Amino acid sequence: MSQTNSFDYGGAFSRNVGWVTGAEQQKLRNSRVAIAGLGGVGGAHLLTLARLGVGNFNIADFDGFGLHNFNRQVGAFMSTIGRPKAEVVAEMVREINPEADIRIFSQGVTVDNLDEFLRDVDVYVDGIDFFALPARRMLFKASYDKGIPALTAAPLGMGVSFLYFKPGGMSFEKYFRVDGRSENEQYARFIAGLSPAMLQRDYLVAPQAVNFQERRGPSTMMSCDLCAGVMGVAVLKVLLGRGSLRPAPWAMQFDAYHQKIKFTWRPFGNANPIQQLMLLLIRPLLEGRAKPS
């Protein structure tokens, strides 16, 4: 087959057709996805959706790439150290689809630009750093209030945990129930809600790598890739209205290390008795009074 330097959308994404129809591919082309946070999972989400043929994005990140990002972030290279993440990954998307419409929010998402960030958006995809709970809560609340489906895929160990917040269904706040809690308690509730099955907890071989006071923890590229795959399929299903997708209080966790998948259902979210028991186990870990088993 002869190669040319000219871009043709139909040719570029023709191999998607079969799993989607031609009409569905055009719907993806005309859809707009917002992604906040463009590091480990966010950058992988963006490139996966770009290769799916989604044609329009609102993306936000205020950070630049560093050497510590190399193990998991798709835009992290020697040539991009110090460069803004949003600028780098936008360039990568345009290399995939020069016709993509990308609105870049290089200061991240703030109270002042929140409405603009979510303008014209069909789906919100969460890629924010684990420790940025205030920004995450703001984005999920705004998405819920605007009737925008919001999804998160958390990289846990060598697996993924997925949550879907459906408009009119259980909200992020009602699921995690962090309002008015201390910072450590908010983290504990976020962990418990993200990972009700806790499939990853027994193969953390260096617990000292987890330090909530210093806001750092271990990560893997395998986990980020799994997150992007799960998220890409979920976004496709939401945008095309195809197939079922269990919303919160359902959660799904797949752990590649253990080769296990588990669906959990937690009515009342973190107010569920099972979640309350889990919080009793998590709190000492955050306070440094115990080590993961």
Side-chain angles (χ1 to χ4, degrees):
M1 182 181 293
S2 61
Q3 300 293 316
T4 68
N5 290 327
S6 60
F7 177 80
D8 170 68
Y9 180 91
F13 302 106
S14 61
R15 294 299 179 92
N16 290 337
V17 176
W19 299 115
V20 300
T21 67
E24 287 175 328
Q25 187 66 63
Q26 288 302 309
K27 188 168 185 179
L28 294 171
R29 183 181 190 177
N30 294 322
S31 297
R32 182 173 293 276
V33 175
I35 305 176
L38 300 165
V41 291
H45 292 335
L46 178 61
L47 296 192
T48 298
L49 293 172
R51 292 195 184 277
L52 182 61
V54 172
N56 308 281
F57 297 97
N58 294 357
I59 62 173
D61 200 305
F62 58 82
D63 201 6
F65 284 112
L67 195 63
H68 61 287
N69 301 140
F70 276 36
N71 77 311
R72 71 199 181 283
Q73 300 196 11
V74 295
F77 303 95
M78 290 302 296
S79 60
T80 62
I81 290 178
R83 290 191 61 198
K85 292 181 180 180
E87 177 184 301
V88 170
V89 294
E91 289 175 2
M92 296 174 77
V93 171
R94 292 190 181 106
E95 286 290 310
I96 297 167
N97 179 3
E99 297 175 354
D101 180 69
I102 309 172
R103 302 174 188 170
I104 300 174
F105 294 76
S106 58
Q107 302 303 311
V109 183
T110 66
V111 173
D112 294 334
N113 68 16
L114 176 61
D115 287 338
E116 184 65 17
F117 177 71
L118 293 175
R119 185 167 64 87
D120 305 324
V121 166
D122 298 298
V123 176
Y124 168 63
V125 170
D126 176 35
I128 292 180
D129 183 89
F130 173 88
F131 295 98
L133 273 175
R136 178 174 279 110
R137 292 178 63 195
M138 177 182 72
L139 277 157
F140 274 93
K141 182 180 186 306
S143 297
Y144 191 84
D145 291 345
K146 294 174 183 292
I148 299 170
L151 307 93
T152 190
L156 299 175
M158 299 180 201
V160 51
S161 187
F162 173 79
L163 283 163
Y164 166 42
F165 292 94
K166 182 179 180 179
M170 176 173 274
S171 69
F172 181 96
E173 290 295 333
K174 287 188 177 179
Y175 180 79
F176 285 102
R177 297 178 180 263
V178 299
D179 190 40
R181 309 287 178 171
S182 68
E183 185 177 63
N184 262 15
E185 179 66 11
Q186 288 189 33
Y187 290 149
R189 286 170 175 261
F190 191 48
I191 293 169
L194 277 179
S195 182
M198 291 295 282
L199 297 180
Q200 77 286 359
R201 70 186 301 260
D202 67 348
Y203 59 88
L204 180 65
V205 294
Q208 66 274 14
V210 180
N211 190 309
F212 285 88
Q213 285 67 44
E214 297 178 7
R215 298 193 170 192
R216 61 177 172 83
S219 58
T220 68
M221 187 71 237
M222 299 86 75
S223 181
C224 293
D225 281 341
L226 287 166
C227 287
V230 168
M231 181 62 77
V233 174
V235 169
L236 178 148
K237 293 176 82 170
V238 171
L239 290 177
L240 301 182
R242 274 180 48 182
S244 61
L245 195 64
R246 300 178 185 182
W250 282 98
M252 184 276 288
Q253 186 175 2
F254 170 70
D255 189 90
Y257 187 88
H258 285 308
Q259 293 286 287
K260 289 182 179 179
I261 186 168
K262 188 167 184 179
F263 290 89
T264 53
W265 184 56
R266 297 291 187 266
F268 312 110
N270 275 331
N272 187 284
I274 296 175
Q275 294 299 100
Q276 290 293 303
L277 289 173
M278 184 177 293
L279 284 166
L280 291 176
L281 298 174
I282 294 173
R283 287 178 185 124
L285 302 177
L286 270 62
E287 296 165 4
R289 293 188 283 111
K291 293 182 179 181
S293 60

